[in-house]
Amino acid sequence: MSGAVTALVPAAGRGVRLGADIPKAFVALRGRSLLWRAVHGLLESGCVDEVVVAVAAEDAGHAAHALAGVDRVRFVTGGAQRSDSVRAALDAVPGTDVVLVHDAARCLTPGSVIRDVVAAVRAGHPAVVPVLPVTDTVKQVDAGGAVVATVDRSALRVVQTPQGFDAALLRRAHAGDGGPATDDAGLVERLGERVTTVPGHPHAFKITTPFDLAVDEAVLG
Ligand code: CTP
Ligand code: MG
C-alpha cells in the first residue's frame, strides 16, 4: 500500500495516575513536553506525512504553545474516552491511506519502531502492532485474590504504539458499536480481521505513573 501516512496522537487524557497538576501530555521531560517529544519522534522517523493531535477543548491553547513552530501538525478536540479521541482525529483525515495511532505518553518510541510498523502496513498487513514478550511470571487470580492458574507467558505479548492500519479498516473498526477498547487493534479484532505483530522496543513503554517518568529521565540521560 502506497500513499499518505497520517499519525493520530490521542493526548486528551487527564493523567490521573501520574498525578501532576497539569494533563500528562503537557508534563515536561528535560524541558520538552511529552506531547512535543511524541510528535517530534513521529515526524523525525521520516515516514509520517502529517500528525493530528487530539486534545481536550480546554487544553487547545496549551497544545498550540507546546507545538509552536512544529510543521505538519493539526489539532482536534478529543473525547471522554481514548477511543473517542482517536475517532475525532480519524474523522479529520478523510483522505489518508495509512493511519498510525500513537499515545502521547509513549514519547520516547524509537524511529525504527515507527518505520517498521509503517513498512508492515505497506507490505500488505492491514493492522500492525508493536509487541514485547512478557518477562514476568503471570498468574490468573479469582475475585478473592487466590491464584487460579499460572498462565503460559510464551504466548503472551505486551502491546505498544504506534499501531498501524489501512485507514479504511480502522474507520470500519471505529464505526462499530462494541463498547470501549483499550487499544485500536482491539476494535479491529472484533471485526474478525487479522492483526499482525512486529517487535516493539523497551523505550516505547507508556508513561503512566511518576515512576515511569523517572525511567524516561534515565533513558534520556
Ligand atoms: N487519551 C485521550 N483521550 C482520553 C483519554 C486518554 O486522548 N479521553 C490519551 C492520553 O492523553 C494518552 C493516551 O490516550 O496519551 C493513553 O492513555 P493513558 O495513558 O490512560 O493517559 P491518561 O488517560 O491521560 O492517564 P490516566 O488514565 O492515568 O488518567
Ligand atoms: Mg487513561
Side-chain angles (χ1 to χ4, degrees):
M1 166 178 295
S2 58
V5 178
T6 304
L8 315 180
V9 177
R14 300 289 83 198
V16 172
R17 290 168 289 179
L18 189 62
D21 50 8
I22 53 175
K24 181 162 70 179
F26 304 110
V27 168
L29 195 59
R30 301 267 169 109
R32 289 290 192 182
S33 65
L34 303 190
L35 178 60
W36 185 92
R37 290 186 181 279
V39 170
H40 190 252
L42 286 162
L43 293 172
E44 283 290 293
S45 74
C47 62
V48 172
D49 297 299
E50 189 192 19
V51 178
V52 178
V53 180
V55 290
E58 63 268 30
D59 294 332
H62 217 154
H65 182 255
L67 291 171
V70 181
D71 293 333
R72 296 186 283 149
V73 181
R74 285 193 287 143
F75 300 95
V76 298
T77 303
Q81 305 294 326
R82 181 185 180 281
S83 54
D84 300 320
S85 298
V86 172
R87 200 171 304 116
L90 191 56
D91 287 347
V93 288
T96 197
D97 300 290
V98 177
V99 174
L100 299 181
V101 184
H102 188 42
D103 292 325
R106 296 183 189 272
C107 65
L108 298 187
T109 302
S112 58
V113 174
I114 300 165
R115 289 188 290 274
D116 287 351
V117 170
V118 170
V121 177
R122 288 205 189 284
H125 301 288
V128 178
V129 296
V131 299
L132 288 179
V134 173
T135 54
D136 289 315
T137 295
V138 178
K139 295 200 190 288
Q140 185 183 343
V141 297
D142 65 18
V147 171
V148 174
T150 299
V151 181
D152 175 13
R153 73 178 177 205
S154 68
L156 298 180
R157 299 290 182 273
V158 173
V159 179
Q160 302 180 323
T161 76
Q163 300 189 348
F165 304 93
D166 168 350
L169 175 60
L170 189 63
R171 284 184 214 290
R172 210 151 49 82
H174 272 276
D177 189 22
T182 55
D183 75 339
D184 298 277
L187 296 173
V188 169
E189 290 158 41
R190 284 182 194 163
L191 297 177
E193 300 287 346
R194 181 190 174 94
V195 176
T196 305
T197 64
V198 297
H201 192 285
H203 292 181
F205 80 101
K206 184 161 71 77
I207 294 178
T208 305
T209 66
F211 174 78
D212 300 330
L213 212 48
V215 175
D216 256 18
E217 284 276 2
V219 168
L220 279 173

